[in-house]
Amino acid sequence: MDIKIILGTIIAALVLAYIFHSVQRKRNSDKHIGNKVFNIGFVISLTIIAISILVVGGWDGMVLGAIGAYLLFPSLSGLIFTKLLIRYS
């Protein structure tokens, strides 16, 4: 069940990265929208994972770790896909 959720969010992040890239080509701005969005998500997920490691306790640390993982994989895959789209387009 968890793998399906993570794979679904990764696919949604890839579609969102492609949408951001197509909007960015029309805008002609310096900063890429996908970089902003996925960098913020990546930093937030790493912060949540670090906090979950520091929380010593039963369910609280596990819940924070799961939320961090649910944010980490889509933001990382979206960031990589955005970089690939920037480089090869």
Side-chain angles (χ1 to χ4, degrees):
M1 177 78 177
D2 292 337
I3 300 294
K4 291 179 183 176
I5 293 172
I6 290 176
L7 287 176
T9 55
I10 288 173
I11 292 170
L14 294 179
V15 170
L16 193 62
Y18 182 75
I19 291 171
F20 285 156
H21 184 70
S22 64
V23 168
Q24 184 67 32
R25 285 190 297 183
K26 294 176 184 173
R27 275 186 39 183
N28 293 330
S29 177
D30 291 337
K31 289 290 267 183
H32 200 277
I33 303 169
N35 281 340
K36 289 180 185 179
V37 171
F38 293 118
N39 277 336
I40 290 171
F42 184 67
V43 169
I44 289 173
S45 67
L46 288 180
T47 305
I48 291 174
I49 289 174
I51 290 172
S52 73
I53 291 171
L54 294 175
V55 171
V56 179
W59 294 104
D60 296 335
M62 288 176 54
V63 169
L64 286 175
I67 291 171
Y70 287 146
L71 288 175
L72 177 70
F73 293 116
S75 64
L76 188 60
S77 64
L79 187 62
I80 292 170
F81 190 65
T82 301
K83 296 292 184 183
L84 289 174
L85 284 174
I86 291 171
R87 177 175 284 178
Y88 293 115
S89 66

